[in-house]
Amino acid sequence: MATLGVNIDHVATIRQARRTVEPDPVWAAALAELGGADAITVHLREDRRHIQDRDLEVLRRTVQVKLNLECAIAPEMVAIACRVKPDQVTLVPERREEVTTEGGLDVVGSREPTAEAVRRLRDAGIAVSLFIDPDARQIDAAVDLAAKAVELHTGCYANETDDAGRHARLVELSRAGAMARQAGLALAAGHGLTYRNVVPVARLDGMGELNIGHSIVSRAVLVGFTQAVREMKALIG
Ligand code: PXP
């Protein structure tokens, strides 16, 4: 059975909308653990649009399950990872103007800087996963760089609007997953997974970990909304 890494970035997104102290992603991580999360995932972006350095540091001290840090291959981000020592780092592409991570890391096209990032992280004793598109060339490159795992980008699957499209994308994910497993890589997947589309991905052979953020945070906001209003109403009353 695949494990669940809960990405809490968007709890921090809500906080940063007011640059206040609530909601605290550290609290969300604890609640996610109570709900059964197998891992807590955060993306410390270079522009610090949601998760802050303080969050990562407090999470390192408080998270009791696996802590998975997503970050760019930039040397200054890798240096932070080596200092804080999450259990795993997932290297992702990053562009400042993007709304969210678009596409996987081009390990083939950025081989040298990616290799250097992987080397530094491995030397610091951190497991390294590469977030890549379900593409054979990218998997070969991940194997060459001695990554421990790959996380397959499921964004294209999630964006399909009909069954035939979803099926075609699932076949790509399945082939890439089989190739990664045969090469000895641990297999993860994520991006755009929701309560409606997750099951076929969770059922892929050898699927080890799913990282899911936006859909879980979105649902949490709504399932807690009625109670939050009731509590405010009671106070005012
Ligand atoms: N995996 C990776 C590598 C990501 O960059 C993200 C988004 O930060 C996710 C998983 C989670 O995606 P979503 O928020 O769409 O569930």
Side-chain angles (χ1 to χ4, degrees):
M1 197 177 89
T3 60
L4 173 62
V6 178
N7 181 315
I8 54 173
D9 291 349
H10 291 321
V11 177
T13 301
I14 299 175
R15 178 191 60 192
Q16 295 311 109
R18 287 289 177 92
R19 292 192 169 50
T20 173
V21 294
E22 67 175 3
D24 191 331
V26 174
W27 290 32
L31 294 171
E33 282 190 39
L34 286 177
D38 301 292
I40 299 297
T41 296
V42 289
H43 184 172
L44 185 68
R45 294 188 73 106
E46 291 179 275
D47 64 10
R48 306 298 196 273
R49 70 173 68 159
H50 40 53
I51 294 293
Q52 305 296 303
D53 296 68
R54 165 269 180 201
D55 301 330
L56 178 62
E57 274 155 28
V58 180
L59 287 167
R60 177 59 299 181
R61 283 184 270 132
T62 54
V63 167
Q64 299 298 308
V65 293
K66 172 171 154 183
L67 179 62
N68 174 34
L69 171 66
E70 294 174 2
C71 73
I73 60 173
E76 56 277 20
M77 300 311 297
V78 172
I80 292 172
C82 290
R83 181 172 53 76
V84 175
K85 289 196 180 0
D87 303 287
Q88 175 176 290
V89 165
T90 302
L91 292 172
V92 299
E94 215 174 279
R95 287 193 297 121
R96 282 192 182 238
E97 62 282 13
E98 68 193 357
V99 173
T100 180
T101 316
E102 294 163 353
L105 186 64
D106 182 6
V107 185
V108 178
S110 62
R111 196 180 174 90
E112 264 324 299
T114 306
E116 176 61 15
V118 173
R119 244 190 321 269
R120 287 176 65 194
L121 292 163
R122 281 167 50 96
D123 287 351
I126 301 167
V128 182
S129 178
L130 301 178
F131 182 56
I132 56 170
D133 291 328
D135 172 332
R137 290 178 325 132
Q138 301 293 345
I139 293 168
D140 279 340
V143 174
D144 283 353
L145 265 47
K148 182 166 184 240
V150 285
E151 178 174 333
L152 299 180
H153 187 280
T154 49
C156 292
Y157 161 78
N159 288 339
E160 290 290 351
T161 51
D162 59 38
D163 286 348
R166 270 188 292 275
H167 178 72
R169 299 302 187 168
L170 209 53
V171 170
E172 285 171 7
L173 289 165
S174 170
R175 288 200 181 123
M179 188 180 161
R181 295 289 298 139
Q182 268 160 21
L185 295 166
L187 180 63
H191 207 87
L193 296 177
T194 69
Y195 293 82
R196 291 185 200 284
N197 68 15
V198 71
V199 171
V201 179
R203 284 193 179 139
L204 289 176
D205 263 358
M207 184 51 67
E209 180 176 289
L210 297 175
N211 282 301
I212 308 179
H214 184 262
S215 192
I216 291 176
V217 174
S218 302
R219 194 176 189 93
V221 168
L222 292 186
V223 299
F225 216 87
T226 310
Q227 184 181 340
V229 172
R230 263 196 214 111
E231 288 175 13
M232 186 59 80
K233 186 101 171 135
L235 269 179
I236 292 170

